[in-house]
Amino acid sequence: MNKFVRVALVAAAACSVYGQAAPDSLNLMPLPKEVSVGSGSVPITGAFTVSASGPGAQDGRVQRAIPRLVARMVRQTGIPMPKPTPANDTEAVLQIVVAETGHDGPQKLGDNERYSLTVADAHIKLAADTPLGVLRGMETLLQLVRQTPYAPGVTPGFSVPNVVIQDEPRFPWRGLSFDVSRHFMPVETVKRELDGMAAVKLNVLHWHLSDDEGFRVESKKFPKLQELGSDGMFYTQDQIRDVLAYAADRGIRIVPEFDMPGHSSAFLAAYPELGSGPGPFHVVHDHEEEPSLVMDPTKESTYEFLDSFIDEMTSLFPDEYFHVGGDEVSPKKWTGTPHIRAFMEAHKMANTTQLQAYFSKRILDIVTTHGKHMVGWDEILNPDLPKTAVIHSWRGQQSLWSAAKDGYQGILSANYYLDLSYPASFHYSIDPMKAPGTPSGGAVGKGPAPGTPANLTPEQAKLILGGEAAMWEELASVEMIDARLWPRMAAIAERFWSPESTTDVASMYRRMNATSEWLEWLGLNHRSNPELMRQRLAGPYPVAPLDTLASLVEPTKGYSRHAQKYGIFSTLNRLSFAIPSESDTARDFRNAVDEYLADNHKGGERLQMNLAAWGQAAKDVRPMLTNQSVLAENLPVADGVETLCQIGRQALSYMSGGSAPPDWKKNAKAKIEPYVDKRFGDLLIQIAPAIKKLVEAVPGN
Ligand code: ACM
């Protein structure tokens, strides 16, 4: 008999009966709604068998997901499973029961994703109302597979611990906004990210397919879009259909975005007559270049073109939602043109906000005529906008909430921008229903304190559909895109899926690290590719000291990296591209220093050892930095690490007995100051602030 222990999935998930933090030990991410943990487990062996029954069992998504699940079991365990043959319903190790067939046609917003997973008595039962729920439950099952803990007499191998899980999402719209305009991402990359998204239960790929830097879909009606509006890299319509089918099989909707009337240089390079002035126009290559003009909202021919274009694209993309951008239209792109000023006067438009409102309404009518709901960035919000529009907030929660108060559905991307290299803990702290904080923990401007709940009625709150992580790809290339998305996106996925009370940051990091490893077995290369890139940088030198140096730095945050003037043809191979956005080592060090200072110098020896090893690596890396041209710019980083480690070690030894000489602290502060919160090219030395804390804690002046 199995005894199940109900584990409350609240902030501090520790459970005294099971031991320390039971859900943590299961490494589930996103954390399910309810988990009960039992004793014992079900072994996973080469004789793994699967049955599927119930009205929805023959659904193609379920049927195709079963061999995929088995293939992943094989990869995760190294156990050959030569014949994942269907077994009869009561004998199969994995018994899938699908209660409903699901509706015909493409997946819709709000489709039921609920499932339950019961692991007990040598069987795993995955029950769901719909095929979609089965897909979600399979990911949970795969996360549960682990090497059986050793105990005398235990059969060595892999198993799934006995659990009962009831799960369903908090929000119905959980996405990634994926820019493939600034840097094109080939089909296999998009598919790999779809695999990762499905693994953490995200369900919308918002595909940003056009921008100033490129138009990325074949148009049969307007072929100049891909011919003149791209650098030759775009998806054919057959490739789009292939990706759509791949996503649908994994329970992911694809919402295309064609950004208009701004961010539209690629449209204008192809069809200059759409422009708000005479041009000439070109696709933007330097990301800092201001595009010359935007679309002309005053000409009927603009709407005739867009009607025909939207007709083609809404036929290609089956989703009910269609994103038309609408962000960042600079007023002078319109007011600089006499006939546009005349149009505004004739229509009594006081400003370009009203002109954009006119454009948005015209586009909404077109999108509606083609049977879709229009989604747009929050600039489209205006009093005349029909309530059928969906507001995609990138500028803050306020626009999301005021849209909901006015009766619009909305999704949040503000503060979920993965390209800005903020830590997972920051994105995790952002909740669509609560006031946000800043990356450093303060309130946003004069806004309410972080965490203050949105003041919405239950009906208004329901209009908030969820959110999307966003990845803008000015500074991303195919070889390091995974490392920008993962594993931090898993933390955002948890925010959208798991109960609102799931907020324990330490638990998130523990589970995110485990999830990060798991995702590499799925085929993502967010860990392995940066390693290869560093190997390339190291050339003939042993890479180990570079890896150590790399583990102590992070890319600079926010938009500051754009100051380095990258363009779409820039080489993105510097050290700042060959590291994760967030350093696990620096975070662990920060936490260890805090613990040392708070808890009677606990862990001082370990800190000494770390600093000694890092200081040595900073010395050892020097010949490589001196001789490898791409790395040479990082010599000051090695200087910094060496200095910081030396001062940090002195601080620790003065605190553990010796006393610091009279001027030591003043001199130490002066020595480390050039490295604390200072940028070196694109890099920050992320151990510096904790070293400063150590120095400040040394007794004396
Ligand atoms: C945006 O970041 N301009 C949507």
Side-chain angles (χ1 to χ4, degrees), residues 177 182 208 211 257 259 263 323 327-328 377-379 392-395 413 417 470 472 559:
S177 171
R182 275 57 179 267
H208 184 81
D211 210 301
E257 178 189 350
D259 209 342
H263 285 275
H323 203 306
D327 55 322
E328 298 187 297
W377 297 108
D378 49 24
E379 284 96 330
H392 190 173
S393 168
W394 72 279
R395 293 182 299 178
S413 277
Y417 278 28
W472 302 102
Y559 288 103

Side-chain angles (χ1 to χ4, degrees), residues 383-399:
D384 297 329
L385 189 72
K387 303 291 186 230
T388 51
V390 179
I391 306 303
H392 190 173
S393 168
W394 72 279
R395 293 182 299 178
Q397 257 91 334
Q398 285 310 329
S399 63

Side-chain angles (χ1 to χ4, degrees), residues 565-588:
K565 299 236 171 289
Y566 291 105
I568 62 173
F569 298 122
S570 298
T571 310
L572 307 184
N573 64 357
R574 305 161 75 185
L575 185 59
S576 58
F577 293 92
I579 54 173
S581 293
E582 183 173 8
S583 157
D584 294 338
T585 306
R587 183 180 62 253
D588 290 346

